[in-house]
C-alpha cells in the first residue's frame, strides 16, 4: 500500500472510532449502563461502561478487511484467521453479558480458553521457533495468551491507559513492517496501524476525565487480538519486538500477581496494588500516569530499532535496556513523591 492509502485507511478508522464511540456513549447513557465507583475504583463518579461496543466491532472488521486484502500471511491457510475472528466475536458477546450480568469466573475462563485454542490455529508457525516440540509450543502459547488477555483486562484501571498501551503496540508492529524490508510483515503492520488509529479515536473520549470506559466487552477482546498480533509477530521470527513492546504491562501485572499470591491473597479479586494504581492513589493524575506509560512505550519501541553500541546491540543487550526502562517506570509510579498526594497503603 502507498503512504497515501495508509493515511486514508488510518484516518478513516480514526474518524469512525471517534464517531462510533460517541454513538455508543449516548446509548450507554440512555440505558444507564454505568460503572459505579467503589473503594477499589480509580474514578469518583458513575461513568458509562461499554465503550468496547464501538472499539471491538471496528477492530474485528478492520482485521477481517486486512485479511481479505492481504491473505493470512506467508504460506498460511486463510480459514484459521476467520476462525480466530469468529472466536473473538463470541468472546466479545460473552464479555458483554458479563458486563451486564456478572457471569461466573469459570464460564468466562472457559470461553477464553476456547477462543485462544481456536486462535492458535491462526498462527503462522511455532512461536518458540522450534526450541520445544510443537505440542509443547502450543500448550505454552495457550497459557501465555490466556494470561495476556486477563492481564490486559487487569491493567485497564485508569483513564487512557488501555488506549495508550494498545495504540503503542500497534504503532510498534507497524514500525516492524516498515523497517523489515520484507513483505512477510506487511499485513501485520497494516493491522497495527489500524489498531493505533482506532485507539486514538477512542482515547479522545477516554482521556482523563474519561467520558466512558471500555468495559470487559472492550478490554478482553482487545487483549485477545493484541495477544494474537504479538504471537503472530513472534511466529514469523520477530520475537524480540513481540516481547519488548508489551513489557510494562507484562511486568506490572505479573509482578503484582506473584506478590499477592505469596502473601496468600485471592489473586482473582479486584485490588489497587498495580504500580499505576499506587501512583494515582498518591495523587498523580490519570493523564500523567498514562503519559508516562506512553513515553516508556516509545522508549521500548526505540530500543528495538535504534542502532546501539556494539556491546549492547544484540538481543540480550536490548532486552536488558528494555528491562531498565520498565523498572524505571515502575519505580517512578510506585515511589516518586507527588505533591499533596496520599499513599493508598496508608504507610
Amino acid at each position: 500500500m502507498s503512504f497515501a492509502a495508509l493515511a486514508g485507511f488510518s484516518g478513516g478508522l480514526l474518524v469512525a472510532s471517534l464517531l462510533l464511540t460517541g454513538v455508543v456513549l449516548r446509548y450507554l447513557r440512555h440505558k444507564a449502563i454505568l460503572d459505579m465507583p467503589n473503594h477499589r475504583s480509580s474514578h469518583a463518579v458513575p461513568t458509562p461502561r461499554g465503550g468496547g461496543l464501538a472499539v471491538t466491532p471496528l477492530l474485528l472488521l478492520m482485521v477481517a478487511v486486512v485479511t481479505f486484502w492481504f491473505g493470512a500471511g506467508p504460506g498460511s491457510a486463510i480459514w484459521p484467521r476467520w476462525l480466530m475472528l469468529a472466536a473473538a466475536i463470541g468472546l466479545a458477546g460473552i464479555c458483554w453479558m458479563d458486563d451486564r450480568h456478572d457471569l461466573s469466573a469459570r464460564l468466562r475462563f472457559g470461553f477464553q480458553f476456547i477462543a485462544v485454542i481456536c486462535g492458535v490455529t491462526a498462527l503462522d508457525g511455532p512461536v518458540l521457533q522450534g526450541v520445544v516440540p510443537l505440542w509443547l509450543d502450543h500448550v505454552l502459547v495457550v497459557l501465555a495468551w490466556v494470561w495476556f488477555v486477563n492481564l490486559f483486562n487487569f491493567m485497564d484501571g485508569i483513564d487512557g491507559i488501555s488506549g495508550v498501551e494498545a495504540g503503542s503496540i500497534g504503532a510498534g508492529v507497524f514500525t516492524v513492517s516498515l523497517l523489515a524490508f520484507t513483505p512477510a510483515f506487511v499485513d501485520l503492520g497494516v493491522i497495527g496501524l489500524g489498531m493505533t488509529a482506532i485507539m486514538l479515536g477512542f482515547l479522545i473520549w477516554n482521556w482523563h476525565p474519561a467520558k466512558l470506559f471500555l468495559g470487559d466487552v472492550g478490554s478482553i477482546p482487545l487483549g485477545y487480538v493484541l495477544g494474537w498480533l504479538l504471537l503472530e509477530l513472534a511466529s514469523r521470527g520477530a520475537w524480540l519486538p513481540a516481547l519488548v513492546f508489551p513489557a510494562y504491562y507484562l511486568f506490572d501485572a505479573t509482578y503484582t500477581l506473584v506478590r499477592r499470591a505469596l502473601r496468600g491473597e485471592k489473586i482473582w479479586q479486584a485490588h489497587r496494588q498495580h504500580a499505576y494504581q499506587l501512583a494515582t492513589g498518591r495523587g498523580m493524575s490519570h493523564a500523567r500516569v498514562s503519559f508516562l506509560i506512553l513515553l516508556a512505550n516509545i522508549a521500548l519501541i526505540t530500543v528495538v530499532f535504534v542502532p546501539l553500541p556494539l556491546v549492547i546491540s544484540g538481543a540480550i543487550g536490548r532486552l536488558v535496556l528494555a528491562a531498565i526502562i520498565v523498572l524505571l517506570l515502575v519505580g517512578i509510579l510506585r515511589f516518586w513523591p507527588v505533591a499533596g498526594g496520599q499513599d493508598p497503603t496508608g504507610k
Side-chain angles (χ1 to χ4, degrees), residues 12 98 126 158 208:
D98 184 47
I158 62 170
H208 187 68

Side-chain angles (χ1 to χ4, degrees), residues 8-22 58 197-198 200-201 204-205:
F9 171 77
S10 57
L13 285 172
L14 191 156
V15 172
S17 177
L18 173 64
L19 296 178
L20 188 56
T21 303
L58 195 56
I198 290 169
L200 282 174
I204 294 172
W205 299 98

Side-chain angles (χ1 to χ4, degrees), residues 13-128:
L13 285 172
L14 191 156
V15 172
S17 177
L18 173 64
L19 296 178
L20 188 56
T21 303
V23 171
V24 167
L25 175 59
R26 292 185 61 184
Y27 167 78
L28 296 173
R29 285 173 172 168
H30 176 70
K31 295 293 185 179
I33 302 173
L34 306 174
D35 194 325
M36 307 304 293
N38 56 49
H39 66 286
R40 293 190 180 96
S41 300
S42 296
H43 61 290
V45 296
T47 304
R49 177 182 61 183
L53 290 176
V55 170
T56 299
L58 195 56
L59 177 64
L60 297 181
L61 178 62
M62 181 270 294
V63 175
V65 169
V66 174
T67 298
F68 179 80
W69 188 264
F70 289 98
S76 297
I78 200 168
W79 68 263
R81 182 78 64 84
W82 300 131
L83 179 62
M84 184 271 292
L85 289 171
I89 293 171
L91 186 61
I94 290 296
C95 292
W96 177 238
M97 291 174 61
D98 184 47
D99 277 333
R100 301 301 308 277
H101 305 295
D102 291 326
L103 303 179
S104 70
R106 181 177 298 180
L107 182 63
R108 297 198 308 271
F109 278 113
F111 272 92
Q112 288 175 20
F113 271 99
I114 291 172
V116 164
I117 290 170
C118 291
V120 168
T121 67
L123 296 176
D124 195 55
V127 171
L128 298 178

Side-chain angles (χ1 to χ4, degrees), residues 226-249:
L226 276 172
W228 164 77
L229 187 61
L230 291 167
L231 290 167
E232 181 68 13
L233 201 64
S235 74
R236 299 187 191 184
W239 64 268
L240 180 64
L243 189 59
V244 169
F245 293 162
Y248 165 64
Y249 261 39

Side-chain angles (χ1 to χ4, degrees), residues 155-167:
M155 296 291 287
D156 182 34
I158 62 170
D159 302 346
I161 189 171
S162 288
V164 162
E165 184 68 12

Side-chain angles (χ1 to χ4, degrees), residues 142-159:
V142 167
L143 295 176
W145 196 347
V146 170
W147 170 233
F148 187 84
V149 169
N150 284 279
L151 77 83
F152 197 88
N153 188 39
F154 296 158
M155 296 291 287
D156 182 34
I158 62 170
D159 302 346

